Amino acid sequence: MKKGQVYTGIVERVEFPNKGIVRAGEETCVVKNSLPGQKVSFLVNKVRHGKAEARLLEVIESSPLETGDPCSHFGLCGGCTYLSLPYEEQLQIKERQVKELLERALSKQEESWQWEGIKGSPQPCEYRNKMEFSFGDEVKDGPLSLGMHRRGSMYDVVHVHDCKIVDEDYRRILKAVLGYFQAMGTGFHHKMRHDGFLRHLLVRKAARTGEILVALVTSSQAPRGGIYGQQGDMGEIRALTEGFCQCLLELQKRGELDGVLTGILHITNDSLADVVQSDRTDILFGRDYIYEELLGLRFKISTFSFFQTNTYSAEVLYETAREYVGKAGDQTDACNRAAGDTAVESSRPGRGKLLYDLYSGTGTIAQLMAAAADRVIGVEIVEEAVEAARENAALNGLQNCEFIAGDVLKVLDELTEKPDMIVLDPPRDGIHPKALPKIIGYGVERIVYISCKPTSLARDLEAFLEGGYRVERAVAVDQFPWTANVETVCLLSKPDAGHYN
């Protein structure tokens, strides 16, 4: 294939995360965002070492697997990949992707391992408990829009009023906020010019408690114009944000929300980067956090706290991880205790276990594992997440959880105790290459690795194999229905455990 040429072909399969393998004659090419069985036209934009990559131009014929577009934004919004497929078909694609990646990574493992398939989300639609919407326009110099970025674009914003991965409260809030700022004639923040007022709208809704937190993110510039760095009139900004607050409260007053607004915030962000962060946060109504419940425990979630975006599937994920941890040191009975029983029975025979939860975030896993160990030490680099973890552990009456703020790579040099079990839940890029030998060097009997990116997991597993570990079991968990992402849980064991280097 030649760069710059247009071809047509049939999508044979999709590799993780969204790489359609398209056959055109005797050659194949990677075309992202295509589905198995589709006939597509594509423009080759890269050829390297005989491998071609291309941009999808048109779906000429739909796949026999497609059952229609249940969302009017599908193909425009960059959020969903598999929305036109039946859910069971999507699960099969993700399962095949993860299994093939693990099989290649474990090809040198002599011992057999158990592949346990994929666990679907208990609620495949309307599952998101957090969304970050962007202000912008759908076309250049068009009217104000609020929603998600158009697929392949950093600038165009699609108003996703029909989004199917959030519930009706999100859609009503989205519509009301957009209508309010359109009526006020407020402009959005331009990424290239670095001027304008409106930047993002962050919405969190707890699936179990129904509590809703809404945060408007703006620059500090004049709402009706101004150049970068020009401070807006505080009275004008205050009046505009108070009107925004009242707009949302009216929704609740009219009974149009199923959940309960517990917090409305105004966040000022003058960063040049297109990220949701805070230079200053003002509470317009209520408080700056919500409460969520997960497997019998209660968690306080602030504006920027990390929490799994699918509460329903997170319970499946963490129950799976807890059951895998239960295999370590014959602790199955401890792990199968009722989730709400948080008592620590240090005198019980077979207890006295120390568990490391590395990349612990807000400590969700550590707290859910608290009944399986005498002590749990969580390590997380984000200090705000560590503070939230400590607060949530106290909220749940867990006295055997300790949380350390710091980079796993450095903290491991400071910890002198050898753990009995390790749970890993690293970011998408996986474990830092320099941290891997330190983790392997503990020589613990079992490690549970939770991954949100199977390609990173596959790479790290090769290092564990070289370090004397083997994979016993693995399972995929669909934490993100309709998107290309998937979680994986692996149980690793070391036959000659006990050698602490």
Side-chain angles (χ1 to χ4, degrees), residues 307-448:
F307 197 82
Q308 290 286 356
T309 55
N310 183 345
T311 302
Y312 311 100
S313 189
E315 293 183 331
V316 176
L317 177 70
Y318 292 144
E319 281 183 323
T320 302
R322 192 163 62 182
E323 191 262 328
Y324 275 26
V325 166
K327 298 298 182 183
D330 296 321
Q331 293 294 316
T332 307
D333 59 329
C335 291
N336 287 337
R337 295 168 60 195
D341 183 3
T342 58
V344 179
E345 304 172 38
S346 57
S347 61
R348 185 175 177 177
R351 301 291 296 228
K353 299 291 184 180
L354 172 61
L355 186 149
Y356 279 2
D357 176 16
L358 305 182
Y359 311 95
S360 57
T362 52
T364 311
I365 295 176
Q367 293 172 67
L368 290 169
M369 303 299 174
D374 216 24
R375 294 171 57 214
V376 181
I377 296 178
V379 181
E380 168 60 43
I381 195 170
V382 180
E383 292 189 10
E384 181 185 3
V386 173
E387 288 301 318
R390 292 167 179 163
E391 191 170 349
N392 284 324
L395 180 68
N396 289 308
L398 298 173
Q399 299 179 2
N400 65 329
C401 293
E402 176 186 351
F403 297 98
I404 300 173
D407 189 337
V408 167
L409 178 62
K410 297 178 181 179
V411 173
L412 289 182
D413 288 333
E414 302 167 1
L415 293 173
T416 58
E417 295 178 273
K418 176 190 172 182
D420 299 286
M421 301 173 279
I422 295 177
V423 176
L424 302 166
D425 189 9
R428 289 184 60 79
D429 289 338
I431 302 170
H432 192 289
K434 292 183 180 179
L436 268 169
K438 298 180 181 182
I439 295 170
I440 293 171
Y442 283 115
V444 300
E445 181 185 357
R446 302 287 174 94
I447 294 175
V448 175

Side-chain angles (χ1 to χ4, degrees), residues 462-483:
E462 294 180 7
F464 279 106
L465 292 184
E466 293 176 1
Y469 280 89
R470 64 185 181 89
V471 172
E472 287 192 7
R473 308 163 61 189
V475 65
V477 180
D478 189 24
Q479 186 81 355
F480 319 98
W482 315 113
T483 75

Side-chain angles (χ1 to χ4, degrees), residues 13-299:
R13 65 186 188 282
V14 178
E15 295 181 351
F16 182 86
N18 60 344
K19 299 178 180 178
I21 307 302
V22 181
R23 177 165 295 280
E26 298 299 318
E27 299 181 281
T28 60
C29 180
V30 173
V31 182
K32 292 183 178 180
N33 300 313
S34 56
L35 299 175
Q38 287 180 335
K39 183 177 181 180
V40 299
S41 65
F42 54 93
L43 173 66
V44 176
N45 50 25
K46 184 185 296 185
V47 179
R48 182 179 298 174
H49 305 302
K51 296 182 179 180
E53 297 180 13
R55 176 168 59 89
L56 177 66
L57 296 178
E58 180 186 3
V59 177
I60 300 172
E61 294 180 10
S62 297
S63 166
L65 302 174
E66 294 182 87
T67 57
D69 301 345
C71 172
S72 61
H73 318 298
F74 182 57
L76 297 175
C77 164
C80 295
T81 302
Y82 299 120
L83 200 56
S84 62
L85 299 178
Y87 187 54
E88 289 302 318
E89 187 64 38
Q90 172 196 164
L91 291 178
Q92 291 179 28
I93 291 174
K94 292 185 177 183
E95 177 183 358
R96 183 168 60 250
Q97 290 174 345
V98 176
K99 184 182 179 184
E100 289 177 354
L101 283 168
L102 295 186
E103 285 176 337
R104 286 197 293 268
L106 302 178
S107 60
K108 296 181 181 179
Q109 176 173 304
E110 296 180 358
E111 300 88 351
S112 62
W113 60 285
Q114 184 178 356
W115 171 247
E116 299 178 344
I118 187 169
K119 297 181 179 182
S121 174
Q123 184 162 322
C125 295
E126 300 188 344
Y127 63 85
R128 294 273 311 190
N129 57 36
K130 177 188 176 184
M131 289 292 283
E132 293 179 0
F133 299 111
S134 297
F135 287 95
D137 50 16
E138 293 203 24
V139 295
K140 187 176 181 180
D141 299 325
L144 180 68
S145 183
L146 173 60
M148 305 295 292
H149 284 285
R150 185 183 297 272
R151 176 172 287 171
S153 173
M154 295 179 61
Y155 305 103
D156 301 342
V157 173
V158 180
H159 179 53
V160 288
H161 59 85
D162 192 33
C163 180
K164 292 296 189 292
I165 63 174
V166 296
D167 71 17
E168 189 62 27
D169 281 354
Y170 285 84
R171 296 188 283 266
R172 288 169 178 158
I173 290 170
L174 191 69
K175 181 180 178 181
V177 172
L178 177 59
Y180 169 73
F181 284 115
Q182 283 179 335
M184 298 301 295
T186 313
F188 66 90
H189 188 270
H190 293 263
K191 299 181 183 65
M192 295 296 291
R193 302 202 306 262
H194 303 301
D195 64 20
F197 186 64
L198 299 170
R199 300 194 68 161
H200 299 94
L201 183 75
L202 186 151
V203 184
R204 306 193 80 142
K205 179 182 177 182
R208 300 303 186 197
T209 66
E211 295 187 351
I212 302 172
L213 178 68
V214 181
L216 174 69
V217 185
T218 76
S219 72
S220 63
Q221 298 174 43
R224 299 185 187 280
I227 59 174
Y228 176 69
Q230 176 181 332
Q231 294 293 310
D233 177 80
M234 290 306 296
E236 182 185 7
I237 292 176
R238 189 178 300 111
L240 193 64
T241 54
E242 287 178 356
F244 154 77
C245 179
Q246 288 303 313
C247 165
L248 294 177
L249 292 176
E250 281 298 316
L251 279 180
Q252 182 159 278
K253 185 177 180 180
R254 294 194 301 266
E256 295 182 24
L257 296 178
D258 295 324
V260 179
L261 281 166
T262 55
I264 302 174
L265 315 177
H266 173 219
I267 296 175
T268 303
N269 172 24
D270 281 325
S271 168
L272 296 181
D274 185 30
V275 295
V276 179
Q277 63 182 44
S278 173
D279 296 335
R280 168 178 169 167
T281 298
D282 295 303
I283 299 177
L284 305 177
F285 168 79
R287 43 181 162 83
D288 61 352
Y289 58 88
I290 57 176
Y291 285 108
E292 178 63 296
E293 295 174 355
L294 193 70
L295 294 175
L297 298 182
R298 190 170 173 86
F299 296 92

